[in-house]
Amino acid sequence: MGQGSLEGQIVAAIRARPLLYIGATNALTALTAMYLHAGGWRNVRKMLERAAFKLVVGSARLVAGELVKKEEAKILEGVRDSVVGKIHGERYQSLPKDGMTAEAVVKLMREGYARDGESWTKGQVSGQVYHGGEDVTKLLVDAFSIYAVSNPIHPETFPSVRKMEAEVVQMVCDLFNGGAEACGTTTSGGTESNFMTVKTHRDWALKTKGITSPELIKPASAHASFDKACHLLGVKCIEVPFDPKTFKVDLQAVKRRLSRNTILIVGSTPSYPHGVMDDIKALSDLAVKRGCGLHVDCCLGSFVLPFLDQAGYPVPAFDFRLEGVSSMSCDTHKYGFAPKGSSIIMYKNKDLRHHQYFVASDWPGGIYATPALAGSRPGALIAGTWAVMMHMGKKGYLQCAKDIMRTATHISKGVESMEGVKLMGTPDAFVVCVGAENPDALNIFNVGDAMSERGWKLSLMQFPPCFHFCTTYLAARQDAGPRFLADLKASIHCVRTAPKGKFKDSKGAIYGMAASIPDRSMVEGMALTYIDAQYYA
């Protein structure tokens, strides 16, 4: 090998500067490791930003430790105050020495509820309150009264509760075109439903495929309950990006991350942040080809999505009609108007559902077997769900879907034509997500705060910054659409003409700051403070 050749020149350069060569190869190795660990250059950039932020904050703490601590404490105090607010009445931190009369207890509850106010009745709350009408509320009260002491863990004692639970599950499976083999169980909400499908597919993959290092692929827009489930169940959660224009999952990114360890792909109908439906047909094809499961999270879509075609708002197939769909979740306590704490997890067949169950056959207390996480459960909640579904029927839910979509469509068209803001994706259902046309010229979080001053409770989003309004049946009944658009226009004007500092201590300011912090451990600290504040007695 001559010195004049390329190889010779490289060898000579290495010999002349061996330390530089070692440093360069180490840097390249580290970058490659980061790329593989992070799953792409987009996440490598996040990791580098986080490291740089930690370095800057760490240096600031060394130079001006007390000042930094004071600022952090001030932020946490603001988070705490936003939850606790002003405490009214006597505080109870231990049992009363003498029991109160029923009348006195009811009086305290009525006073507390009166202080809460009934702002939600105006239809200006994004999601949160899924009110089916006074007749539905009265029916729920009757159901709770009749079945207050029932517990479905004892079907021999409460056979009517067992019957109602089975019928609720099968009626929901029928809504999603499950066929004769489709089945499921009730759960306490969307988080438990999504948790159970991860557990089920993990155990199924271990038994049928021998997968010991399971992986789940989810869009960044999919619900955070999948992150929680993976964290608790030891499943690797692989997050893929969504398209920055359509906000639907990036199908090519899903395809790239599929592997022999993939147990489950997740799709949303619609996604909570942006209200768009992922391409479930394409995800189904990928799942069939890979031989893994596909879970369709329809917790939010609930009892509206199955009726959209009939209501005049056609949507592509997203349910058990697609070969690759192995499980679905649906929150009956949203647009089904069931009492809170009610959701359904569905499977395409009973063999798959068996992997959800837990059985302890050698326990001295007897054979212990449960369908989902809970042992004892409130039979009154199941009775309330069954009662509402029987009362509403398909005709009632179809009319609700029409009313909700009419209001949501009115809002989305108004936003589309409004100067200064834009739709974040095209709404596929009832969630209207709003962002700034030019984020540098208009702070969308401040617009959200200005809307709050006008009585609206909107849901703030991040990455990118935006907010959404989840249109409820109550909003439709109160014809909230025109008010929303008028107040949004006024709020944009308010932000543009506001004196400097008007929104510096607002909720939007805190949220905006949190979204801009690369070191998410600081944001996690704020979240811990927020949760702690909820238990401040």
Side-chain angles (χ1 to χ4, degrees), residues 114-155:
R115 283 192 295 268
D116 291 345
E118 292 190 340
S119 59
W120 59 269
T121 60
K122 298 177 182 177
Q124 296 188 183
V125 176
S126 174
Q128 297 185 27
V129 180
Y130 297 89
H131 189 259
E134 292 303 324
D135 57 328
V136 169
T137 300
K138 184 180 183 305
L139 183 60
L140 291 177
V141 171
D142 288 343
F144 269 67
S145 176
I146 296 167
Y147 285 95
V149 301
S150 63
N151 185 349
I153 201 173
H154 302 295

Side-chain angles (χ1 to χ4, degrees), residues 357-432:
Y357 298 163
F358 175 81
V359 178
S361 57
D362 297 328
W363 182 43
I367 299 172
Y368 178 84
T370 58
L373 281 179
S376 291
R377 293 174 291 137
L381 204 153
I382 291 167
T385 303
W386 181 87
V388 171
M389 290 172 63
M390 296 297 287
H391 175 66
M392 293 293 297
K394 289 184 178 180
K395 187 175 180 180
Y397 286 121
L398 173 59
Q399 186 58 54
C400 288
K402 288 179 179 179
D403 294 343
I404 290 165
M405 288 303 298
R406 183 173 61 249
T407 299
T409 302
H410 179 85
I411 292 173
S412 63
K413 286 182 177 179
V415 171
E416 205 168 18
S417 61
M418 193 172 295
E419 190 269 331
V421 292
K422 64 178 182 179
L423 291 173
M424 306 296 274
T426 302
D428 285 316
F430 42 77
V431 176
V432 182

